[in-house]
Amino acid sequence: VTSKSWKAYTSTFGPTDASNAAGCSSSNLNACSVQDNGMPKDWYSTSFDDSSWVSATEYTVAQAGWGRTPSYSGGKCGTLTDPLTRNNANPSSVTTRAVECLNPQTV
C-alpha cells in the first residue's frame, strides 16, 4: 500500500497537451508526441535527494475503481475507456469469455 507520503517523478509523458491540440488521436498518431524528461542520475540510491519531486497522488477505493465487480453480458466484460478522452471507447468493450471477466480483488 502506498500513500501521498511517497514521491513521484514523471520520466515520460504523453501524448502532450500540444500534440493533443495538434490532432493527436488513435487514428492520427503522426500528430502525437511524448515528453521525455530522462531519469535522474542515481535516483535509485538511498541517498538520492527527492525533495524536489511532487508527492504521489493518493486515490480512494472509489476513485481507483476497486470494489466494482466487472459485469459480463452478451460476451462482453465491462466497459473500455479511451485513454486520451477518458470517455467510453468505441468499441466500448471487446468480446471475451465469461472466465476472462475476473474481479481483480479475488484474483
Side-chain angles (χ1 to χ4, degrees), residues 5-91:
S5 67
W6 283 50
K7 295 291 192 156
Y9 174 81
T10 304
S11 58
T12 57
F13 170 79
T16 62
D17 292 341
S19 65
N20 284 334
C24 173
S25 70
S26 59
S27 59
N28 185 20
L29 295 177
N30 287 334
C32 301
S33 63
V34 173
Q35 178 179 321
D36 185 348
N37 300 320
M39 293 301 296
K41 184 177 183 205
D42 297 328
W43 68 269
Y44 48 82
S45 169
T46 56
S47 62
F48 181 79
D49 179 9
D50 65 1
S51 62
S52 66
W53 292 12
V54 298
S55 294
T57 301
E58 187 172 349
Y59 293 97
T60 66
V61 168
Q63 290 169 314
W66 288 100
R68 294 186 302 190
T69 304
S71 59
Y72 184 79
S73 176
K76 310 280 185 189
C77 180
T79 302
L80 301 176
T81 305
D82 184 308
L84 297 176
T85 65
R86 297 190 177 127
N87 295 324
N88 286 351
N90 185 11

